[in-house]
Amino acid sequence: MGRAVPNSARGPAETGGRPAGVMAHLRGFWPVWLAFSLTALAAAVGLRTGLSRLVDHWFMSYSHSWLILFMCLVLLWRALRTTTPDRLAPSPAGLVTACVVVLLYAIAEILDTSLAMFLLLPVVVLATIAALAGWQVARVAAPVLGLLVFTIPIWEYFSPVLQRIAVSVVKVVLAWTGPPIHVVGSAITIPAGTFEVQESCSGVRYLLVSLAIAWFYGLAWYSTWRLRLTILVVAALGAMVSNWIRIIALIQIGHVTHMQHDLITGSHANFGWYLYGVFLLPVLWLAGRLGRRDSAGSLSPASSGRTSIAKSGHFIAAALILSTILAGPALLNGDSSEMPAQPTTHGSIGLAGWQAAAPGSWQPAFQSPSFLAFDGFAAPEGPQVDVYVAYYQRPAREARLLSRRNQLHPGWQVVRSGERLVASGETEWSVAVRELAMGNERRLAWYWYMVGGRQASGKLKAKLLEIPAYLRGRRDGAVFAASASCSPDCVAAEEVIENLLRDAMPRLREIGNGRVEVGGAAQR
């Protein structure tokens, strides 16, 4: 039946000091902590691919994640001190849930889908808590683990939407306040010059930080979800408004100074954060006001005073089972990831009716494809079109089509993004469209993928195609890109790319299906 542990074992309040309180806690709950320690070691081994990739992002573009991790630990510690569950015991349903989630993670690792691994990691942690301590503890931990969503690199997908919203708002405001503007896509032209509202200027970083702060504040000080959601909405609006005002202010400064101010000619990143900090103050003030009204705010339900705890052997048995499950992905991960990459075979697209030319300065960077072609084609009228093809016969170590190391436009900034259909015969293909900028140079680039013989316009869609392709026994894939200069505008570039792709699509489809010379032998 287990045993009951008094509330005094939870902390130092009734034990005569912090060291004595810690010892009392460990005496009461040592089987639980031993079980969590064993499973943590197993997770470090079995989930190391996803964990190491996530930490890489934390050291680079998501450095705020270390602060969020600290926030999670603080909230979890507070939950331990303020919650006394009625019973602590391993949950068979939790073990089954953990098994299912880890299996999904293993599939994501086999398919080398980093985003799926990242999204599943917090779910694995939650399922582990449920499996070892029960669903009552898991329900308390779930909102806290929700903070980890702000450490997962998915927020860039919101950049195009926020970019379009920002341009629309700025257009409306400047139409009332001046100066005279002309908006084409994300380019805002005033008499003194042109501003590009790039995806990096969409304000997604301000939004991400605001939501993380609001989530932490809501869990720490509010007891109702109504107040928590209120402060989340206010924080999100504050972040977006601050970015809109930042863009408007920079345009006004450029207009008044004839584009000569240091904020225009140099970096204005710090200016954006200073302005964001000013707009964060009223959000924090409102949070304080709401917190005073919610004087009974608490992270977790009231304590009952005693906890019934299962036998020590139950925790050890559950930890051993769960550790085996968590270590599974390291064993299930396909040996294809350990295979060395094949030498790259360089070839040509060989497009009849188009004159070959030397490619220009733009070029994607894909690591160790089985077949690589990069050709330039001079158009009878309009700019030259450069076409890039990288085909992967099978995934291997350091050689995967959808690897995070591969880049479609290294060194170029995305000014505008979208999709369009390209018709070739009776087939219509959806392709991703990117308008790129590097200094004063502008280019239009169209991209798409083929995975297992099926087409996808974006990386996420291509990732999803890997699952049915894997079930059909196919691991091959290819990326295609066509680009032309936008000088003097992108209209001519769009026309010449579309004309070339209509002629080239049958040949490109053959390459995407593996009908190429790889390593001296024709495939498929």
Side-chain angles (χ1 to χ4, degrees):
M1 293 295 294
R3 55 197 173 91
V5 178
N7 194 32
S8 59
R10 292 171 46 245
E14 302 177 13
T15 56
R18 187 174 300 274
V22 171
M23 295 304 298
H25 178 87
L26 292 177
R27 282 196 300 270
F29 295 103
W30 70 266
V32 183
W33 289 113
L34 178 60
F36 275 105
S37 299
L38 290 174
T39 54
L41 290 174
V45 174
L47 311 179
R48 65 181 184 275
T49 300
L51 290 171
S52 63
R53 292 185 183 182
L54 187 59
V55 169
D56 286 344
H57 282 284
W58 288 8
F59 275 114
M60 295 184 293
S61 56
Y62 273 64
S63 56
H64 64 276
S65 300
W66 299 105
L67 178 59
I68 291 179
L69 181 62
F70 176 74
M71 291 177 179
C72 281
L73 295 176
V74 169
L75 291 175
L76 286 173
W77 174 250
R78 184 182 176 191
L80 290 173
R81 293 178 59 84
T82 57
T83 304
T84 301
D86 297 329
R87 180 168 175 76
L88 277 178
S91 167
L95 284 171
V96 173
T97 303
C99 185
V100 172
V101 175
V102 173
L103 178 61
L104 292 175
Y105 172 90
I107 294 173
E109 183 171 338
I110 290 173
L111 297 177
D112 196 37
T113 309
S114 296
L115 181 58
M117 287 190 280
F118 296 158
L119 291 172
L120 287 168
L121 284 174
V123 185
V124 170
V125 175
L126 185 62
T128 298
I129 294 173
L132 295 181
W135 288 102
Q136 187 178 4
V137 177
R139 282 194 295 270
V140 174
V144 176
L145 295 176
L147 261 176
L148 295 177
V149 172
F150 303 114
T151 70
I152 297 174
I154 60 174
W155 296 91
E156 289 81 2
Y157 292 103
F158 295 96
S159 292
V161 176
L162 293 175
Q163 177 194 34
R164 288 192 288 269
I165 294 174
V167 172
S168 299
V169 171
V170 171
K171 181 179 178 181
V172 171
V173 173
L174 292 181
W176 283 90
T177 63
I181 62 169
H182 177 65
V183 179
V184 177
S186 59
I188 301 175
T189 302
I190 63 175
T194 300
F195 291 84
E196 292 279 2
V197 182
Q198 300 176 352
E199 290 187 4
S200 58
C201 302
S202 64
V204 67
R205 187 56 56 85
Y206 307 136
L207 177 64
L208 176 57
V209 173
S210 289
L211 291 176
I213 293 174
W215 191 268
F216 173 81
Y217 203 102
L219 292 180
W221 300 108
Y222 303 155
S223 61
T224 66
W225 279 103
R226 179 179 61 84
L227 291 177
R228 292 169 181 170
L229 293 176
T230 298
I231 197 62
L232 274 174
V233 171
V234 172
L237 290 176
M240 295 172 67
V241 170
S242 70
N243 186 57
W244 300 339
I245 293 179
R246 178 187 70 87
I247 297 172
I248 294 170
L250 288 172
I251 292 175
Q252 295 286 7
I253 292 171
H255 174 64
V256 172
T257 64
H258 300 284
M259 309 294 281
Q260 298 304 309
H261 195 278
D262 290 343
L263 289 175
I264 307 301
T265 59
S267 173
H268 47 260
N270 291 336
F271 172 72
W273 283 110
Y274 293 148
L275 191 60
Y276 166 76
V278 171
F279 273 80
L280 187 61
L281 293 177
V283 174
L284 296 177
W285 173 84
L286 177 61
R289 293 278 295 182
L290 294 175
R292 285 193 291 273
R293 294 182 182 179
D294 190 37
S295 57
S298 172
L299 177 69
S300 43
S303 301
S304 61
R306 300 181 70 84
T307 298
S308 173
I309 184 169
K311 293 181 180 179
S312 303
H314 293 173
F315 288 102
I316 302 303
L320 292 176
I321 295 172
L322 189 57
S323 295
T324 303
I325 294 172
L326 289 170
L331 303 176
L332 293 176
N333 187 19
D335 59 359
S336 61
S337 63
E338 302 303 322
M339 296 179 183
Q342 290 180 317
T344 299
T345 298
H346 294 268
S348 176
I349 298 171
L351 184 58
W354 290 77
Q355 183 179 351
S361 59
W362 163 89
Q363 181 179 358
F366 278 70
Q367 307 299 315
S368 304
S370 305
F371 173 83
L372 175 65
F374 185 42
D375 297 329
F377 297 97
E381 295 182 2
Q384 172 180 312
V385 182
D386 296 337
V387 180
Y388 180 93
V389 178
Y391 170 78
Y392 290 81
Q393 182 182 350
R394 56 172 172 75
R397 185 177 62 245
E398 305 297 328
R400 292 174 180 265
L401 171 64
L402 302 174
S403 169
R404 59 197 173 96
R405 291 180 293 273
N406 296 336
Q407 300 181 64
L408 282 167
H409 39 76
W412 294 79
Q413 294 288 332
V414 176
V415 175
R416 176 177 60 89
S417 59
E419 289 189 14
R420 66 167 299 156
L421 293 176
V422 177
S424 177
E426 298 180 355
T427 305
E428 280 191 339
W429 282 22
S430 176
V431 301
V433 178
R434 299 287 185 270
E435 185 177 335
L436 308 175
M438 180 188 288
N440 295 324
E441 188 176 357
R442 297 289 187 273
R443 293 192 72 88
L444 187 67
W446 292 11
Y447 308 103
W448 72 97
Y449 297 88
M450 283 189 70
V451 176
R454 296 181 180 176
Q455 186 265 347
S457 60
K459 188 174 183 179
L460 182 59
K461 295 177 182 178
K463 281 288 186 183
L464 296 176
L465 287 179
E466 285 189 330
I467 299 174
Y470 181 78
L471 295 176
R472 299 196 317 270
R474 292 190 61 170
R475 305 299 302 276
D476 61 303
V479 62
F480 305 88
S483 175
S485 173
C486 282
S487 178
D489 56 51
C490 290
V491 175
E494 182 175 313
E495 292 178 354
V496 72
I497 291 176
E498 185 171 11
N499 291 335
L500 183 139
L501 291 184
R502 283 201 190 101
D503 295 341
M505 199 63 75
R507 171 57 179 156
L508 298 180
R509 215 167 14 231
E510 288 183 355
I511 295 175
N513 278 298
R515 289 188 283 271
V516 294
E517 293 286 335
V518 176
Q523 302 300 310
R524 296 195 179 275

